[in-house]
Each structure stands twice: as structure tokens, then as C-alpha cells.
Amino acid sequence: MVKRINFINPFGSSAYDDIIRKTLSHYCASDTELAVTHLENCPTDIDFFYSKHLIEQSLFEAVMVSEEQGYDAVIVGCLYDPGVRVARELVDIPVVGPLEASFQMAAYYGHSTMVLTDHRKAVPYIQDEARLNGQGHTVRGVDAIDWFVKDMINDRRAVADDVVRLSREAAQRFGAETVIMGCTIIAAIYQEYLMEGGEPSAVPIINPNLMALKMAEGLADLHRSGGYFVARQGFYMKPTGHFDAEFRNARKVWNASKPIFAR
Amino acid sequence: MVKRINFINPFGSSAYDDIIRKTLSHYCASDTELAVTHLENCPTDIDFFYSKHLIEQSLFEAVMVSEEQGYDAVIVGCLYDPGVRVARELVDIPVVGPLEASFQMAAYYGHSTMVLTDHRKAVPYIQDEARLNGQGHTVRGVDAIDWFVKDMINDRRAVADDVVRLSREAAQRFGAETVIMGCTIIAAIYQEYLMEGGEPSAVPIINPNLMALKMAEGLADLHRSGGYFVARQGFYMKPTGHFDAEFRNARKVWNASKPIFAR
Amino acid sequence: MVKRINFINPFGSSAYDDIIRKTLSHYCASDTELAVTHLENCPTDIDFFYSKHLIEQSLFEAVMVSEEQGYDAVIVGCLYDPGVRVARELVDIPVVGPLEASFQMAAYYGHSTMVLTDHRKAVPYIQDEARLNGQGHTVRGVDAIDWFVKDMINDRRAVADDVVRLSREAAQRFGAETVIMGCTIIAAIYQEYLMEGGEPSAVPIINPNLMALKMAEGLADLHRSGGYFVARQGFYMKPTGHFDAEFRNARKVWNASKPIFAR
Amino acid sequence: MVKRINFINPFGSSAYDDIIRKTLSHYCASDTELAVTHLENCPTDIDFFYSKHLIEQSLFEAVMVSEEQGYDAVIVGCLYDPGVRVARELVDIPVVGPLEASFQMAAYYGHSTMVLTDHRKAVPYIQDEARLNGQGHTVRGVDAIDWFVKDMINDRRAVADDVVRLSREAAQRFGAETVIMGCTIIAAIYQEYLMEGGEPSAVPIINPNLMALKMAEGLADLHRSGGYFVARQGFYMKPTGHFDAEFRNARKVWNASKPIFAR
Amino acid sequence: MVKRINFINPFGSSAYDDIIRKTLSHYCASDTELAVTHLENCPTDIDFFYSKHLIEQSLFEAVMVSEEQGYDAVIVGCLYDPGVRVARELVDIPVVGPLEASFQMAAYYGHSTMVLTDHRKAVPYIQDEARLNGQGHTVRGVDAIDWFVKDMINDRRAVADDVVRLSREAAQRFGAETVIMGCTIIAAIYQEYLMEGGEPSAVPIINPNLMALKMAEGLADLHRSGGYFVARQGFYMKPTGHFDAEFRNARKVWNASKPIFAR
Amino acid sequence: MVKRINFINPFGSSAYDDIIRKTLSHYCASDTELAVTHLENCPTDIDFFYSKHLIEQSLFEAVMVSEEQGYDAVIVGCLYDPGVRVARELVDIPVVGPLEASFQMAAYYGHSTMVLTDHRKAVPYIQDEARLNGQGHTVRGVDAIDWFVKDMINDRRAVADDVVRLSREAAQRFGAETVIMGCTIIAAIYQEYLMEGGEPSAVPIINPNLMALKMAEGLADLHRSGGYFVARQGFYMKPTGHFDAEFRNARKVWNASKPIFAR
């Protein structure tokens, strides 16, 4: 019996679905059925926090629908882990973010790690995440490769070369034993480069998509066998009781009126 | 020449405007013009993270409009500090949240503090905020009074009595010298109780609305005299360059299609 | 194609193999072949650090042999995570400890957690582990149930009842949303109790055996598909170069002369 | 009705009063009456901890006299925040230090900050202050410009040029978005340079004198309207009870015999 | 050849010299010559920060004179460690504070510790010290016994009984394995109680006077054999160069005019 | 009456005894009788964690025998502090590790410190130790000099020159005022270089052997005069009760069968 995982690219664009599918399928468990999907009616890029917020609103819908469709787990495929914690308020299936999953699994790859993300604006955001969710004090730093996602997809070889060079420099500067590739698309580009025979980085690079996949598969197994649950008496209390009617109303209206983006 | 502050109640309801206006006006600087406003077309309560997210989307609009209308500073009147950091990405006037302002000013009231918030779900949220934004290690704990906002407004005396009793118990349990009242509405109810001659709490209680007001006034002064600016090369980089068109488009469409809530 | 996991009970006794096998098999992935084994020629209990050290020496051998036998991952089944980090120096297959795995996966079960271990002596040990390897600041405390492992196995119902009662009390005292059961055998006893229809704890209890199993399965997949590696330039540098001859000699002599325990 | 602020230069010299008055007056609230004063009978410089200690003894007197003279708030104008915490033990008006105020308000200027102070000896002192009183983990580092105060005042342009150059270098080295100018006099010199049309630093520089001024004005408002108080049951317990007579005696004798400095 | 240690009671009173001498002499190394002295012309109690500051001014003189008199090390006998760090700026002999020494040596007595001090006002002060100077995270809490020093000396048996009872309660509340007695005089009273055959506390109590003595003896040995030095390029830079004349002048004037206390 | 200290070189080799004896004797207290010993039947080097573990097993025996032979304290002479914490479980005499002792005493030498160890593999290990046992936040970094112990002993002058050069560079990079020499043998070589008239390092270097010696002497004094004890109710609970027979058996068998190393 298969476990079904929905890897949602949280962008209003199908541009990144192929490379994720291409670089992730090989690593699936033998009984995993992996869907790679994207959002609609929301910004195509998540570079700024305003667009991240609009995207998250669409994502909540996609996560709730995933649960209704019988998925066993959802991955939100961006290193911002956009909307992941709020989404856990809404559904009973596991919701996995690649940044948190990488923090959680990095210890198996080396004693310390760091994050090398796409551009400068994300650095302080990820530093805060590392402080709240990094394993102990093992995340030694965060730095940026200074590429925008929309440009990367068109010049993959240059991205892969930068990854190899900048990972080595950054790991030395921060004293980290491994590097978490801090952007799902960069990680996919680097993985594709390896699959095409590229020379691996001297400093071990952790692909966050793989970490999210394995975490999602494990939790999906537990969900199916009765071993997964979310504590509902605190942070993840569900909108029940007096809030239930309001929630249903809000969700319905949102769905009726959601913005139509020109792209 | 007056400084104009917009205290936005981030709720789709006018129910809380009066008590905020009533309990805050007395403390304004002599040259402050204080507006107390609320949002429209969004949930009336912020108890759950899904509704907080929808409210924030409306709030961004309200903050951008406030700048256009010439306000010198904005206060987002809820202890979640909803949308405060994202809003700073969008405008050049100061955006102040009462929780952060209370963390920043608590040291003038005592050596350590704690937060007593409304209900259980907010406790871990505020703990994370204290870790990221508390002054040093001075926030000794977070606890809840277990009232929902919508019920409080109708039984103010019972709320005030609970505030006095639970502040004393919580401060002792956590070893804190002062208590930040962790809900703008509870804080206003307690302030009204004091204005009506109620016996003050034995443990000093910090009213976050006052802290936000004073921080907003100081920053408004600086904004008017050329002493305020936001570093735009990192976290608060504005949506300019290739993103500008997309941002304008997104905002326009959002405004055209925003959900109509039945209340 | 199956993935083979060796769950090693790090005790010189077969007494705990059955209950682990009984309570873990149900949760295996469909393509997992789970072995539950134990050590020989070493102490039967790990209550004291001296015996833990002797056990670890035997464990290293068991882990190296597991790699030679083609296992895809090893779990060291005790909440001390005995020898886990040193073992990673010696082999290229993933070595998983249930305490670290529980810290890593607890965030999917609730916003914060704590550990309830067997007896007092383990509390400061686990506190240090939480400081080095806990996710952010989410491990709110460590407490003990005050049972010795050798007694527990004979009075399982009393153990399960204590687990339910003490988890609730401890979670409230530390303000934690979930409880990591801090002993593999207690966790198995509680799991058996649930399988026999026992009333679940009001506070969600995380079974560390399940967390270790899922982490091991995910890493085993990655190991088989070429996605697992250990950074060998730092902490986990392997005994190669001038050390290699000495290592081989040491290991051979150890194997020839290892102590014979009377039990 | 005006609020009266006493900005005390904690040096036994009038040499720095003019530049503070010149660079601060423009930023006062419309109803602020700002006095800029200095100490007498104490060392002219605060470079060493022994002289800092003697200066603080004189400062306590000046703060108590300020309260008697009806000031609504006091600023102690040196980045060591000399005597600030002890002074709060003695008076009921707010006592503000520019370092603490800068830590408290820096978040409105950028996501992270650092301090660039005058000379090497102050660096570890400020690092300790950042650990105790910095907002979360936002103070990324402390560095020195290596000028002594007494030399700076005579070569202002060279100081301003160094500020611009070294702020950029230091911010990059520590990954900070803004720089707190870690010396009140350097900050005033840089402010004067800006007022005379100098090119602003590429990295935003926070003037601690402005931060202290705004914090003092806000607290002065609250003090006048009944919204300011100090928790007196712990760290800031006042010398009352059995200590009162001794305190009065000590203060009187100190005043009669205080050292006369030759300058 | 003996090593000479000056244990300075930082109080303007000889009231505590005898009990320190009585309870410390037994523990001296065989070649230690221990002097127990006190200050003059300063407050008799250190309960408040204002009096602590005056006392420190007198202490600096006493420490400089101790170096001139050939002492090999100085202990400042109060748990506030009053003036210890500033004094290191002034002399080349070791200056030891009992609180810092207790933090440094507590690990030999148990895995974790806490401080039980005299009264409430000292609790936050010691918490800050623990954060800056505690060993790792081993100081689990600080609490007060609520006795004033001047009263204790007259009712020693009651103090000893409270120490035994409150240490047990506090250690359990904070989960600490040992208790540092947070007041030199309480510690001496408890030591005297033990010497007179009193029943030892169930929870091990660390006497800070002993810790300071042993640290001072070790450093005195090193000082005499050329193994002690203070880094003078940073925090402990001595007042030399342009500051030297001012320092000499200040010290001379201070000595001529120091306040005469009536007692 | 003398105090007897056993400095155990935790290596299966006598190669390092002479240099330790030569560079440590001068600093002993006048009543100290210092033995410098080594282990047998275990690896000659401790570079890898597997050999460290075997060495520790031999060390436990040596520590227990030291207590039986009447030593007043034991020093384990390697910067890994190998087996130190476990050994405290087994004996009632003080067991001192040079790394922990250096962390504890570094504050007397400067405001901050760092560790410069031998090779890369030890860096993360010492970082973890600094986090658990460093004084506050004073350990600013850890770096490696990249020499293996077995090579150092044959080219001492080159080692001393590297120590001087690399200490200066590392202290500047991490902003540390002093450097703890992170290898007992490097420290001895540098001490010998000084004794032979070598130019001292510009950045003060802390010799961990001296720190361990002074800590051991102080604790030995306390042990002899009744002032030393170990809390036995938690982490350091001794193997008594039902475990005693097993412990005795294990130890006897270990002694009979311990591995014979060919060297």
C-alpha cells in the first residue's frame, strides 16, 4: 500500500515542477507516490515578505485540499518553510518544511552545519529560524549566494559552479562541516548537476528537498499506522468551538474571491 | 506642529475602539493627535493563526494607506504584533507592535518581567517572540489568564479582578518583578479599572498600549525631523526593481477582490 | 528491495528484545526488514556510567559488524544514545540514537516537549544532551519516573499507569505540549499497554523507538540511493593514515581478549 | 506644559556640552526643555574603570539633585551607561542610558545591529552589556574605532571620515544591518558632520543620543501622567527602613568631603 | 616560603572578621599566611547598591595597598564580588571574588548548582552574574533566605537551621545537585555550626569562602613562580600613558578627602 | 604533611612523562608531591574517538588505583579531559581535567579566551565542551594548530614558533584576550621554550597543565581537611545497591582480560 506525498511548490508558477520531480524521484522510498504540484492565483516569486504572505494564504487552501484528497503528508517546497506552522493548525496530516527538516537531519551528515541561501534578504530570516529550530548550536552561520530564483533556472551551470565555490568558502569562514543548500531550486539545480556527472563539492552539501522527503515519508508511515498526532491543547489548537462557524465562513469567502493574478 | 499616530485595532470590528481611545488619550504627548481605527473585511477575532493571517493581509493595506494619509507612525494594537515586521518592508513610517515595545521598555519598570496573556494558544507564540526579541534574558516566563477577547469585553470587572490575582501568582512563580499584560484589551480593561479607582496590583503591571504609544511618538518625532530610516539592504529590502511591477499588480488585484466577510 | 535495520539493545541481555520487536514491527515501512538484537559479554544494565562505557566498547564492535553484514542503518536502543557519536567515526552507514531522533522529530507533534526518563541519574545527562542537540529551546525540562529498567519489565501495568499520571504532571510543571518517553523500555511498555487497549495519556507521549525507526529508515533509503554521506574532514574523520595500523591492531586485540561476564 | 530632561555629560569637564546641545536640540519634541550639563569634582575622562567609578559617585549626586530640581527624566550621556542601574535605586524619575536605549530601539532601524565604540578597552564591557540587555540575539558584534575622546574633539573631520569607513567594514565583518555609534561624542561629531552636509554612511548609523532622548521623553510623559513607576520589591528596592539613617549620613558626609580634582 | 593572602571583609566594620578567621583557618594550605581585614571610612553594610559603590571605592585603595604590602593574592569577602573586576585593572596580584570562585569550582561538587543568597534584592544581581560567569548552564537558579547580614550575626543557630531547611527546598525546586551559600557570613555561620557538631545539610552546600581561598592560594603560587599575568591589551588595560598623571592625582585627592563615616 | 597528586598521561606510552615533569615541577606548591605517570595496555595516541574510548577504560582503573594508593587528587593530562566525568562516579578523590580547569581559571588572566588545539578533529569536541562548561560566554572560539602529538615531540622548536604565531592570529580573529593552549603536550613544549629563554607570545597563553595542577592542589587540600565531597544523589550516584555486585564482577573480569597492545 503506497504512501502519497504532495510536494507543493509554493509559487504561482509551474516553472519549477519539472526539476523537482526530476531530482527527487530517484530518492523516493519504494512505496512512495510523489506528486509535485504548484499554486495558482498567487505571486510567482516569494522573494519579498508581502508576496510570501499572499502565497501562504493560497498554500493553506492547498494543504487543506491535500488532506481531503487523501495525501499522507505535505511538503512545502521553499526554504522559508512558508506557512508550515500555521498549516499544522488546520490539518491532521504532517506538514513538512525543508529548512526545518534540514536542521533536524543535518547531524547525521556532520557535527555542524550552515545555510547558504539565495539572496541577502533571506539571511536574517533564516538566522531567526536557526535560533528557534536549529539543533542545539550546530548551525554556525547563514550566508547568501546572491542569485534570484527567476534568474537561476535559466543559467543552471553557472549556479552549480557558484554553489561549489561558495560552499567551500562559506564553510571555512563559519567553521561548518556541511552546508545546507538554502533554496529548494538551487538544491535541485545542484542535484541535477551531480546527476549529469558534475564534480561534487569538497564540502558536503545537504539537499533540503531530500531531507523533507525522508521526513515526510517517515511521518506518512506513522500517520497511516496510527503513530502520528498533533498536540491540540496549545499552539496547534484547531479552530473549533465558537470559532468554527467563523472559520468556515472565512474560508468559503476567501475561496470565492481570491485574487486573480496576471502573469 | 502635531504628530499623527494611527492605533489600528487589527480586528474586523469596531468593538474595541472606544476602550482603547478612552484609556490611551490621557497618556498622549501634548502634540500628539491619536486616531484609533479598526480593519474591515476580515475576521473579527485573531484567536487562531488562520484568522491572524487573513487579518494581516488587510492590515498591510491599512498601513500603506496610513502612510499615504500622512500619519507619522502606526501602532498595530494586538500582542501578537500581527504583521508588524512584514509591514516595515512596505512603508517608511515607523510600525510599532505593543509586545516588542513592552519588551524594549520593561527594563525601566523593573529588573525582570514576564507576560500574562489571554489564552493558552498564545503562550508558545509569545515565548518564541521573547526568545527573538526579549531584552537579554529578562523575560522570565509567559502564562495565560484563559479568557477569550470576545467574552472579556462584556465582563470587565471579573477580568480586572483576575488580572490582579493572577499577576501576583504568576510573577511569584516565575520570579519576575513586573508583568506585561499580554493582551491589548485586557490591558485597557485593567487601565479603565484603575481610572475608576480600582486598587492597583501589588506586582507592577506594564500596559503594552502605553509602551507602544511612547515608542510610536518618539519614532514619529524622529521621522519628522529626519532622524528615522530603515536599513533597506537586508531583511527590510523594499519590493523594488524587477519585483515592483508584480507588487503593484498583486496589491491592485488584492484590493479588487478582497473577501467580504459576513459578521 | 528491502532496507535492513538493526535495532541493537545495548545491554548484555536478551530480556528486552521481545517487547521491542512486538511494539515496533507494526510501524515499519512496508519494505523494512527489522532485526532486534542485543550485545554479549558486557553488563546487563546501563544504569551507571562505568557500565555504559563497557557496553559502548561492545557496541562499537556490533556496529562495525552490522555494516559488514550489509545492514543499511543501525539503531542503538537506549535513551542515553550510548556510543552513537563515536560509532559514526567508524562506519559509513547511519547510526541513530532514539534521544537525538526524538529531539529532531518532536516538533511535528507539538510546539514544545520535555523528557520523562527512568531514574534521577539520567536527568542531568539528558539535560546536557538537550542543550547540545535539542531543537532550539523547545525541550522545556527533564524529569524522572524513578524506576530501574530491571524492575520495570516485571510490573508493566504499574509502569504504564505511572507513565500516564506522571506525564500529565510533568508536562504541566514544565509547560511542555508533549512528553518524550525517556527510556526505550518504558516506551515499549507504554506502547504495549496502548496495543492492549489502555487509555492513552492526556498529554501526547512521543515513543522514541518510533522516532529512531523512522529516522533510520529514511537514512537507510538515502544510503542505498547514494544520498547519504558523513563529513570526514572534522569531528567524524575516520581512523586512516598513520592511525590505521594501530586501529586494526587495537580492534583485533580487543576482540581476542574481551571480558567474559558472568550473569 | 513642558517636560524637562537633564542630559548629564558624565565627565568633570564642560568640553562636550556644546556639541551635544548643538546636535540634539533639533530632535527634541516640541514641548521638551533640554538641559545639557556636566559633573564637577571628578575625573575629566572615563576611559578607565577606576575613573568611571569615581565619576559614578558624583553622578549619583547629580541624579538625586535633578529629581529635587523637578526634572522629569535624566540621561547619562556616555555609552558605558555609567551608574544608570544604581541611580534607579535612588530616584523615582526615569534614568536613561544611551547604550541600553540604542539596544532597545535598534530594531526599528534594521533586523540586526552592532556597536562601534571608541577604544579597545570598552569592547568587552559592551559585549557583556549586549548579552544582558541586547534585544534577543540581534547585537552581532562590538568593535572599536581606536580614538580617545580627548583627542577626537580636536580633529572632528578625521573622526567623521573614520566613522563612515569603519562602519561599513565592521558591519560587513559582523553581518549587521546597522551600526550603533558606541560613543556619545563620536555620535555627536558624526551628527554635526551630517548637519554640515557630509555624505551619510552607506550603512545606517544609529545615534545613541537620539535614542536616549526619545526614550527619556516618552518616560517623562509617563512620569508626568502617572504611568511610570519602578518595581521596588527586588533589584530596585530603595534604601529605606533600617538603612535610611545610614544612607542619609553617608550621602551628607560624601557631599562634605568629596575630592577636589585639579584639572 | 609562605604565600600571603589578604581576605578583605568589604564592610566598614570589624564585626565579621572573627567568624571568617575562625571558619577559614582550618582549611588553609600549610604554607599560607591568612590575614582577615576590613575596610574603614565606609558604610558598615552592603545591602544597597549605593553603599556597595562607596565601599568599592574604599576597597580599591585597600587592594592597591595590599599589593604594596607584598600580599600574593586578595579575596574580596562578599558574594557581590564587589569591585573585583575593577580592582584587576589596578594591580598585578590576583583578586578573587567568592561568587565567581564558587561558580568556577562547583563542578567538582556536583553536576549542577544554585545560589541561595541572603535577601531578595541580591537575587537578580546574582542571576546576571550567573549568566555572565556561570559554568555553562549549570547554575539552575537563585533564591534568597531573607535575612539581613546585620541580624544574622546575632542569631546564628536560627540562621543555620534555615540554611539546612531552605537549601533542601530550593535545590529541589530548581533541580540543582548542590547549593552555593550566597553570602559569606551565612556560609561562615553554617561552617561554624558544622564545626560545633551540627547535622550537615542533606543537599551538599558549597562554602564560597573555601572556594575563594583555594583559588587565591593557587593563583598566589603561580604569581610567586612567574605563572600569573593579566592580559593588558583589552578590558584590563592599566591606567598608563596619558591617563597616568590623572590617575595619580585622583587617587591622592581621594585619599586626602575620603568621607568620614559616623557609625 | 604533603599532598600527593597523580598526573596521569592518558596514553599507553611513557614518551610524554619527562616533559610534563620538567615543565610542571617548578610550579608545584611547596607541600605537593607530584607523580607523573602513564597508562599501559592501551593505545599510545588519543587522536581518534575509538582509541580515546579504550584509553578511558584503562584510565578508570588507574584512577581507582590512585585512590587506593592514597593520592589526594588525580589529573587526567589531555585536553579532551578523557573519562574525567565518569571517573568522578567511581572515586571520592577529586578528578581534574585540564580543559575544564582552564575554562574555570581563564577569567583571572583576561576577560575572554579561546582554545587553540592540535588538530581539526578536536575542534568541534572542544566547542561542545565550551558550551557545556565554559565560563559564561567567555570562550570566543576554538581553532587548531594542525600538528599530531606524535610528530610534535620530535620538532619542538617548530611547534613553539607555530604556537607564538598562530596564537596571535587566532586571538585576533576571534577577539579573545588570551589563548588556552589546547593540548597538554603543546603546552609543555611552549613552557619548555619559555624556560629556555624563548620570547613569550604577545597574546597571553594559558598553560592548561598549570591550571589543572592548581585546581588539583586546592581540591586536595580540601579533601584532606574534610572540605571536599561529591553530591551522590544525581549524576554522580555511585554504583551501589543492586549494582554493586555487578560492578565488582565487571571490574574484576576487565582486569583479567584487558587487551595487550603491541606497539
Side-chain angles (χ1 to χ4, degrees), chain C residues 3 15 32 65 80 110 113 157 182 188 212-213:
Chain C
K3 48 197 173 209
T32 292
V65 168
Y80 276 134
T113 192
R157 184 59 197 233
L213 176 65

Side-chain angles (χ1 to χ4, degrees), chain E residues 109-164:
Chain E
Y109 287 76
H111 186 272
S112 61
T113 192
M114 60 162 294
V115 183
L116 185 65
T117 188
D118 45 8
H119 66 108
R120 232 117 280 284
K121 194 176 170 70
V123 170
Y125 180 94
I126 292 175
Q127 286 170 327
D128 281 357
E129 289 300 305
R131 188 157 167 79
L132 290 179
N133 299 312
Q135 188 172 340
H137 193 59
T138 62
V139 185
R140 296 291 154 82
V142 183
D143 210 343
I145 195 174
D146 277 323
W147 279 85
F148 278 85
V149 170
K150 60 165 50 179
D151 301 324
M152 287 190 276
I153 208 75
N154 300 317
D155 194 358
R156 301 184 183 183
R157 184 60 197 233
V159 171
D161 288 346
D162 272 11
V163 162
V164 169

Side-chain angles (χ1 to χ4, degrees), chain C residues 142-247:
Chain C
V142 183
D143 211 342
I145 195 173
D146 277 324
W147 280 84
F148 278 85
V149 170
K150 62 166 49 179
D151 301 324
M152 287 191 276
I153 208 73
N154 299 318
D155 194 358
R156 301 184 183 183
R157 184 59 197 233
V159 170
D161 287 346
D162 272 12
V163 161
V164 169
R165 181 174 53 83
L166 294 171
S167 290
R168 191 184 59 242
E169 293 174 13
Q172 182 163 10
R173 192 163 60 258
F174 290 106
E177 297 194 354
T178 64
V179 172
I180 296 170
M181 198 42 52
C183 167
T184 48
I185 307 307
I186 299 182
I189 290 172
Y190 175 69
Q191 196 74 34
E192 184 187 49
Y193 157 88
L194 289 181
M195 290 164 69
E196 292 170 354
E199 183 70 19
S201 159
V203 172
I205 289 177
I206 294 174
N207 180 342
N209 303 320
L210 296 192
M211 302 302 107
L213 176 65
K214 289 302 146 186
M215 203 56 97
E217 288 176 340
L219 291 162
D221 281 348
L222 291 172
H223 180 254
R224 293 166 61 90
S225 57
Y228 183 66
F229 48 85
V230 180
R232 294 294 184 194
Q233 82 278 25
F235 190 80
Y236 292 121
M237 191 186 297
K238 287 188 100 166
T240 52
H242 81 274
F243 185 74
D244 187 48
E246 186 170 307
F247 169 71

Side-chain angles (χ1 to χ4, degrees), chain E residues 46-90:
Chain E
I46 201 168
D47 299 326
F48 288 80
F49 297 127
Y50 181 85
S51 44
K52 170 173 169 288
H53 201 271
L54 272 173
I55 282 173
E56 288 170 329
Q57 194 69 49
S58 293
L59 175 80
F60 301 149
E61 202 55 35
V63 171
M64 287 186 281
V65 169
S66 297
E67 184 180 44
E68 290 159 14
Q69 293 178 341
Y71 280 102
D72 296 304
V74 165
I75 297 168
V76 185
C78 167
L79 260 284
Y80 275 134
D81 288 2
V84 162
R85 301 229 158 205
V86 175
R88 286 180 192 151
E89 180 186 74
L90 303 170

Side-chain angles (χ1 to χ4, degrees), chain B residues 40-158:
Chain B
E40 293 194 347
N41 300 317
C42 70
T44 55
D45 289 314
I46 201 168
D47 298 327
F48 289 80
F49 297 127
Y50 181 85
S51 44
K52 170 173 169 287
H53 200 271
L54 272 173
I55 282 174
E56 288 170 328
Q57 194 69 49
S58 293
L59 175 79
F60 300 149
E61 201 57 34
V63 171
M64 287 186 282
V65 169
S66 296
E67 184 180 44
E68 290 160 12
Q69 292 178 343
Y71 281 102
D72 296 302
V74 165
I75 296 168
V76 184
C78 166
L79 260 283
Y80 275 134
D81 288 1
V84 162
R85 301 227 157 207
V86 175
R88 288 182 191 149
E89 181 185 73
L90 304 170
V91 296
D92 291 322
I93 55 172
V95 181
V96 177
L99 180 61
E100 193 181 26
S102 298
F103 287 153
Q104 290 159 340
M105 295 184 71
Y108 298 102
Y109 287 77
H111 185 272
S112 60
T113 192
M114 61 163 292
V115 182
L116 185 64
T117 188
D118 45 8
H119 66 108
R120 232 120 276 288
K121 194 176 171 72
V123 170
Y125 180 93
I126 293 175
Q127 286 170 327
D128 281 358
E129 290 299 305
R131 188 158 168 77
L132 290 178
N133 299 313
Q135 186 172 340
H137 193 60
T138 62
V139 184
R140 294 293 153 81
V142 183
D143 211 342
I145 196 174
D146 277 324
W147 279 86
F148 278 84
V149 169
K150 61 165 50 178
D151 301 324
M152 287 191 275
I153 208 72
N154 300 318
D155 193 358
R156 300 185 183 183
R157 184 61 197 233

Side-chain angles (χ1 to χ4, degrees), chain E residues 26-27 30-31 88 100 104 108-109 132-136 177 204 214-215 218 221 225 227-229 231 233 235, chain F residues 26-27 30-31 88 100 104 108-109 132-136 177 204 214-215 218 221 225 227-229 231 233 235:
Chain E
H26 170 64
Y27 299 96
S30 58
D31 59 355
R88 286 180 192 151
E100 192 181 26
Q104 290 159 340
Y108 298 102
Y109 287 76
L132 290 179
N133 299 312
Q135 188 172 340
E177 297 195 353
K214 288 302 145 187
M215 203 55 97
D221 281 348
S225 57
Y228 183 66
F229 48 86
Q233 83 278 25
F235 189 80
Chain F
H26 171 63
Y27 298 96
S30 57
D31 58 354
R88 287 182 191 149
E100 193 181 26
Q104 289 159 342
Y108 298 102
Y109 287 77
L132 290 179
N133 300 313
Q135 186 171 341
E177 297 195 352
K214 290 302 144 185
M215 203 55 99
D221 281 348
S225 57
Y228 183 66
F229 47 85
Q233 83 278 26
F235 189 80

